[in-house]
Amino acid sequence: DQQVKQNSPSLSVQEGRISILNCDYTNSMFDYFLWYKKYPAEGPTFLISISSIKDKNEDGRFTVFLNKSAKHLSLHIVPSQPGDSAVYFCAASGLSGSNYKLTFGKGTLLTVNP
Amino acid sequence: NAGVTQTPKFQVLKTGQSMTLQCAQDMNHNSMYWYRQDPGMGLRLIYYSASEGTTDKGEVPNGYNVSRLNKREFSLRLESAAPSQTSVYFCASSEQEVAEAFFGQGTRLTVV
């Protein structure tokens, strides 16, 4: 039973345009959501996060939107650059005791074409 | 500042062999994790350790054991490797009550 779903395995956009990556979740107990970026042969690196009490968080070219009623979040990258080409993982978590355990989606491969 | 360091980076095992994947972090984090990444499956949690001396099962623990040797080190052991354990393994660490986890570079393991 997949609790975090990224339904698009891949996305291709032109340089300078907006990239929108989507993520859905089923567990209403999740209270923190994160996006990770992964290049081939490297570990995932943290990109941006959002608490469930917010509906938007922005960091430079990256903005994450959260729609709790729809259990949906999205990552917007504007403008997209070729260096953004990577696999993007959505992750969700709730605090259990003093510890977070992240549940990841399957990832979306973003290709930004020059 | 090394962050999370995993060794080895690559390993080929024969079915039935055993090995230990090593992980160390220098960020003084209490929580450490082992994930595996398989094509089309995302990252799945194998085991985690909330603090030194404690370990708990994650989503896919079968066939693995872990040891939290001290606050810095968290090892993953395959006692009898199987082809189904061919995967890329990632170690991660985080502060308590903080969701953001930092990942190592990964260990690519092939079991033949």
Side-chain angles (χ1 to χ4, degrees):
Chain A
D1 181 26
Q2 213 181 333
Q3 296 191 65
V4 177
K5 299 177 184 179
Q6 293 178 257
N7 292 319
S8 298
S10 62
L11 175 67
S12 182
V13 300
Q14 286 299 120
E15 181 178 5
R17 299 288 187 101
I18 184 172
S19 295
I20 300 177
L21 295 95
N22 293 303
C23 179
D24 298 294
Y25 62 95
T26 57
N27 188 343
S28 58
M29 298 303 291
F30 288 142
D31 58 10
Y32 214 82
F33 303 90
L34 304 88
W35 286 94
Y36 279 82
K37 177 179 180 179
K38 186 183 179 306
Y39 292 117
E42 294 185 9
T45 54
F46 170 73
L47 190 58
I48 192 169
S49 63
I50 188 167
S51 165
S52 60
I53 62 173
K54 297 185 175 181
D55 56 16
K56 177 182 175 181
N57 188 27
E58 190 172 355
D59 183 2
R61 296 185 297 113
F62 303 92
T63 302
V64 57
F65 295 92
L66 176 63
N67 182 335
K68 282 192 69 176
S69 61
K71 294 191 175 68
H72 176 84
L73 64 154
S74 61
L75 173 68
H76 292 211
I77 306 173
V78 182
S80 301
Q81 299 173 354
D84 296 329
S85 297
V87 176
Y88 289 78
F89 290 101
C90 171
S93 185
L95 191 61
S96 176
S98 60
N99 200 62
Y100 278 98
K101 289 185 294 180
L102 296 176
T103 300
F104 285 86
K106 293 184 177 182
T108 297
L109 173 62
L110 173 66
T111 302
V112 180
N113 301 302
Chain B
N1 186 0
V4 179
T5 303
Q6 292 182 234
T7 55
K9 287 188 169 50
F10 301 95
Q11 183 71 50
V12 178
L13 288 179
K14 294 183 178 179
T15 298
Q17 286 186 316
S18 63
M19 80 161 294
T20 300
L21 281 64
Q22 308 287 352
C23 175
Q25 51 93 8
D26 62 4
M27 295 174 281
N28 202 37
H29 287 164
N30 281 309
S31 302
M32 297 187 73
Y33 313 84
W34 276 104
Y35 288 88
R36 61 179 287 174
Q37 185 195 5
D38 302 293
M41 298 296 291
L43 290 102
R44 294 181 292 169
L45 182 64
I46 304 171
Y47 271 93
Y48 69 100
S49 170
S51 61
E52 183 180 348
T54 69
T55 61
D56 285 286
K57 294 178 180 179
E59 183 184 352
V60 287
N62 292 344
Y64 305 96
N65 287 302
V66 290
S67 295
R68 184 73 183 268
L69 304 170
N70 47 55
K71 191 171 185 178
R72 289 187 64 248
E73 297 173 293
F74 188 38
S75 62
L76 178 72
R77 183 160 179 82
L78 288 71
E79 290 291 352
S80 179
S84 61
Q85 294 177 305
T86 293
S87 187
V88 182
Y89 292 84
F90 290 101
C91 177
S93 71
S94 67
E95 296 177 17
Q96 280 187 335
E97 300 187 14
V98 174
E100 177 189 337
F102 295 84
F103 284 80
Q105 296 275 61
T107 296
R108 183 174 293 275
L109 176 67
T110 302
V111 183
V112 297

